[in-house]
Amino acid sequence: MDNMKNWLSVMKLSSEYDRRARLAPALASFLPFLPLILALGGNLQEWGLVLGGTTGACALGAFVLANFASAMGNRLQEQLWPDWPFDAPTHVRLMPDNPDTSPQQRALWYTKVEQVTGLDLQTEVDRGDRAAIRATINDAVERLRNRFRHGDSQARHDEESIRYGSARNFAGMRPLWLSVSVLSCAGTWAAYRWADSNLVWPIVASLLPVPLFVIAYRVLPRFVRIRARYYCEVFFQLLEAE
């Protein structure tokens, strides 16, 4: 166990965000393989030894999977918010033309942002340079996030950041875990046909793809947006508490 922790530290997977928001969604993407594994026989510990190999190989695989999940999550994020980061919920709430934020609330936030970061958003808004407004809001959000990550509000900020990152990365891994479910279905029927496995496994594997596709393309994108909105709410609560 200590060796595994050391490897994860070397591979930059020792933080809670790395484990919960990157590695966990990547590993969860292989859960549809369970019917096939059970159909082929052997327990999960034996299959873990086969797939994991040595501690170093297992840690290297975890590193690759975690970074792949992060890359796929970023890809999905760009699909949901094409003008990222400027159309991210935190940025949009500060935009002067956002109809969902009242002018009074926006003025209060601008004042608070200037107090905390030294960046005067109201001055840029009064100047009316769209590019400068966007850049200043982005700088302000980045400074505030860095402050929240290392200040007294770190625990609350990090927890909401992990929840969003986990949802985003798991949704981003849709192509993998949907492909895994289809392969598992085909493999369990092959095992039933040629390896005399129990019929229950191909039946279970055959029932998985349809609900997984519904979850992948009807449920998860909206859930990611909801998690982003929750993060945004916490972000501004922490700003007001400064």
Side-chain angles (χ1 to χ4, degrees):
M1 182 62 69
D2 291 337
N3 289 336
M4 187 62 172
K5 289 181 179 179
N6 291 335
W7 270 100
L8 290 176
S9 179
V10 170
M11 294 295 179
K12 306 300 182 184
L13 295 173
S14 56
S15 72
E16 187 175 7
Y17 182 90
D18 290 329
R19 293 191 300 270
R20 289 175 55 190
R22 297 172 63 201
L23 183 57
L27 295 178
S29 299
F30 291 94
L31 288 178
F33 264 141
L34 281 178
L36 178 58
I37 291 174
L38 296 173
L40 294 175
N43 57 45
L44 297 180
Q45 183 177 3
E46 292 172 347
W47 278 95
L49 292 174
V50 172
L51 297 175
T54 65
T55 301
C58 186
L60 179 60
F63 171 75
V64 172
L65 283 174
N67 280 278
F68 181 65
S70 181
M72 295 297 285
N74 286 329
R75 178 175 175 271
L76 174 69
Q77 183 172 267
E78 292 173 354
Q79 293 173 350
L80 295 177
W81 294 281
D83 195 27
W84 185 271
F86 302 108
D87 56 351
T90 46
H91 290 62
V92 170
R93 294 292 296 275
L94 291 171
M95 292 293 179
D97 56 354
N98 176 28
D100 296 326
T101 301
S102 69
Q104 293 185 56
Q105 178 64 77
R106 190 158 42 242
L108 291 173
W109 282 340
Y110 285 177
T111 300
K112 197 69 176 180
V113 167
E114 184 177 6
Q115 292 173 356
V116 176
T117 69
L119 295 172
D120 190 346
L121 296 180
Q122 189 61 57
T123 295
E124 295 300 336
V125 170
D126 293 340
R127 288 175 181 168
D129 186 333
R130 177 69 175 173
I133 293 171
R134 283 159 56 96
T136 307
I137 288 176
N138 187 56
D139 289 342
V141 171
E142 286 298 321
R143 288 194 183 190
L144 289 170
R145 281 177 180 161
N146 288 332
R147 184 182 181 91
F148 297 155
R149 288 188 185 113
H150 301 96
D152 296 335
S153 55
Q154 178 182 0
R156 189 178 180 195
H157 173 271
D158 288 355
E159 180 62 29
E160 204 58 45
S161 179
I162 288 171
R163 289 175 179 174
Y164 167 71
S166 180
R168 181 201 67 184
N169 292 342
F170 183 63
M173 292 288 280
R174 292 176 301 179
L176 176 61
W177 48 265
L178 291 175
S179 299
V180 166
S181 69
V182 173
L183 290 173
S184 179
C185 179
T188 52
W189 281 108
Y192 172 71
R193 174 65 176 80
W194 288 292
D196 297 326
S197 71
N198 196 311
L199 179 61
V200 68
W201 303 123
I203 292 176
V204 170
S206 298
L207 294 175
L208 283 177
V210 173
L212 287 181
F213 270 91
V214 173
I215 291 171
Y217 291 100
R218 299 292 295 178
V219 177
L220 281 181
R222 185 172 185 274
F223 180 65
V224 173
R225 289 185 179 277
I226 291 173
R227 288 259 56 107
R229 189 170 71 244
Y230 287 164
Y231 172 83
C232 179
E233 291 174 0
V234 170
F235 179 90
F236 284 102
Q237 288 171 10
L238 295 177
L239 171 62
E240 292 171 356
E242 286 288 324

